[in-house]
Amino acid sequence: AAATIKLGDRGDFTLMVGVTEMGQGCDTVLTQIAAEVLEIPMNKIAIHTADTDISPYDPGAYASSGTYVTGNAVIIAANKMREEILKGASKMFNVDINSVEYLGDSIRFEDKTISLEDFAQRSISFEGMNQITTTGTWGGETSPPPFIAGFAEVEVDTLTGEVEVVDYLSVVDCGTPINPNLVKVQVEGGTAQGIGLALLEDIKYDKKGRVISDSLMQYKIPSRIECKNIRVEFSNSYEQTGPFGAKSVGEVVINTPAPAIVDAIYRATKVRVRTLPATSEKILMGILNI
C-alpha cells in the first residue's frame, strides 16, 4: 500500500490513502499514526480516502490490512515529510541541515525558532520552493497472524432447546492496539456476528431453489437482546514488523463464537450439533434422541 502526505500553508497536513473507511476506524487510526510521527495534534491532519482519482495505491480494505499494511506506509511517508521539512529549512535559511531540529509545530535552528505555519507559508508562497509532498509505500514479506480465544457461557432450556448466550469473553492478541476503543468495538461486532452464525442465521430454499428466508423477518440476525454481555480483554504483544507494534484484527474476531457456543451447548446437554446454526429444534431433537 501507499500513503501520501502534503504540507499545507497553515502548517497542517493532508493525508491521502486508498484504504476504505467502512466503519472499522481506519481513518482515525491512520491519522493517529501520522500525528504520532509528525508530533502534531490529530486536528492538524485532514485525511482523504478511497478516491481513485487522487488516492495512492492500496490493495483494499480486506485481509485485515488497514492498520498493518497502510499504517506502515503512513509511517514511511511521515518520516519522509520530517526529512523534507528539515531539508527545506536548511535551504531556506542557508544553514547546515544538522543544525535544524524538527519540533512538530515549529522548527529550530541555531538560536532561532520558526513556527511550522510560517515555514509552510514562506516555502509555498514566497520562497519559490515546491510544496512539500511525500509518499511512502510498504509491502510485507509476511503477515503475522493475530490470535483470539473465546469463552461462552450459555443457558439451555431442556424443554424447548432454546439457547441464550448470557456471557461471552474474547481475549485478543493483535499486537499493541493503536486505538484500544476501536479494537474493542470491532471485537464486539465480530462476536455479535458470531452469535448470529452460531444460533440464528439460516438460509432456506424452496424446492425450486428460491431463497425463502429473504427478509429480516425470516432471516434472524442478533439484536441487543441476544447479545447479553460481551467482554473484551487484550493480551498485548509487540509485533516488530507492524506500525508501533500493531497486528491485524479485522477478521479473526468472528472465528471463536460459534465453536465456543456449540461446545457450551454440548457441555450443558450432551448434544453435539454438527451443522450451523444450532437451532432450538436441532438441540431439542438431540435431547429427545430423535
Side-chain angles (χ1 to χ4, degrees), residues 243-263:
F244 299 108
K247 292 193 289 188
S248 63
V249 73
E251 282 123 335
V252 72
V253 295
I254 200 173
N255 290 350
T256 57
I261 290 168
V262 169
D263 275 355

Side-chain angles (χ1 to χ4, degrees), residues 195-273:
I195 291 173
L197 172 69
L199 298 177
L200 302 170
E201 300 184 44
D202 192 11
I203 299 177
K204 296 180 179 179
Y205 305 88
D206 64 16
K207 292 181 180 180
K208 294 184 178 181
R210 184 178 68 88
V211 176
I212 56 177
S213 50
D214 58 355
S215 76
L216 294 179
M217 292 296 290
Q218 290 84 25
Y219 186 85
K220 175 66 175 168
I221 63 174
S223 68
R224 190 66 187 89
I225 295 173
E226 283 77 31
C227 302
K228 299 293 184 185
N229 187 37
I230 297 175
R231 294 178 290 134
V232 179
E233 293 184 7
F234 298 111
S235 177
N236 291 348
S237 61
Y238 188 89
E239 172 53 47
Q240 296 288 342
T241 64
F244 299 108
K247 292 193 289 188
S248 63
V249 73
E251 282 123 335
V252 72
V253 295
I254 200 173
N255 290 350
T256 57
I261 290 168
V262 169
D263 275 355
I265 292 171
Y266 173 75
R267 296 194 67 181
T269 64
K270 301 305 178 185
V271 173
R272 177 65 73 183
V273 179

Side-chain angles (χ1 to χ4, degrees), residues 73-93:
V74 171
I75 289 176
I76 294 170
N79 280 321
K80 284 184 177 180
M81 175 59 69
R82 292 176 61 118
E83 294 171 5
E84 290 302 315
I85 289 173
L86 294 177
K87 290 178 184 177
S90 172
K91 179 180 178 181
M92 180 181 294
F93 302 109

Side-chain angles (χ1 to χ4, degrees), residues 45-232:
I45 299 176
I47 185 167
H48 293 281
T49 60
D51 182 339
T52 53
D53 285 336
I54 61 172
S55 294
Y57 174 77
D58 194 280
Y62 62 91
S64 297
S65 63
T67 296
Y68 181 70
V69 177
T70 310
N72 274 319
V74 171
I75 289 176
I76 294 170
N79 280 321
K80 284 184 177 180
M81 175 59 69
R82 292 176 61 118
E83 294 171 5
E84 290 302 315
I85 289 173
L86 294 177
K87 290 178 184 177
S90 172
K91 179 180 178 181
M92 180 181 294
F93 302 109
N94 194 27
V95 295
D96 186 348
I97 191 172
N98 294 319
S99 68
V100 184
E101 186 177 1
Y102 176 83
L103 301 175
D105 60 354
S106 61
I107 302 167
R108 184 165 61 201
F109 56 94
E110 297 176 347
D111 59 346
K112 299 179 182 178
T113 300
I114 182 174
S115 71
L116 185 63
E117 181 176 356
D118 287 344
F119 166 76
Q121 289 178 351
R122 291 180 60 174
S123 65
I124 294 171
S125 303
F126 306 116
E127 301 292 333
M129 300 170 62
N130 293 326
Q131 185 171 16
I132 300 177
T133 303
T134 60
T135 296
T137 301
W138 189 87
E141 298 276 329
T142 61
S143 181
F147 299 95
I148 187 167
F151 306 86
E153 180 183 351
V154 305
E155 290 182 355
V156 183
D157 186 334
T158 55
L159 296 179
T160 64
E162 183 181 2
V163 179
E164 187 176 274
V165 180
V166 295
D167 192 21
Y168 194 91
L169 169 65
S170 287
V171 183
V172 189
D173 172 15
C174 57
T176 302
I178 291 177
N179 190 314
N181 286 333
L182 288 179
V183 176
K184 182 179 178 183
V185 296
Q186 274 196 288
V187 178
E188 291 172 344
T191 300
Q193 288 182 306
I195 291 173
L197 172 69
L199 298 177
L200 302 170
E201 300 184 44
D202 192 11
I203 299 177
K204 296 180 179 179
Y205 305 88
D206 64 16
K207 292 181 180 180
K208 294 184 178 181
R210 184 178 68 88
V211 176
I212 56 177
S213 50
D214 58 355
S215 76
L216 294 179
M217 292 296 290
Q218 290 84 25
Y219 186 85
K220 175 66 175 168
I221 63 174
S223 68
R224 190 66 187 89
I225 295 173
E226 283 77 31
C227 302
K228 299 293 184 185
N229 187 37
I230 297 175
R231 294 178 290 134
V232 179

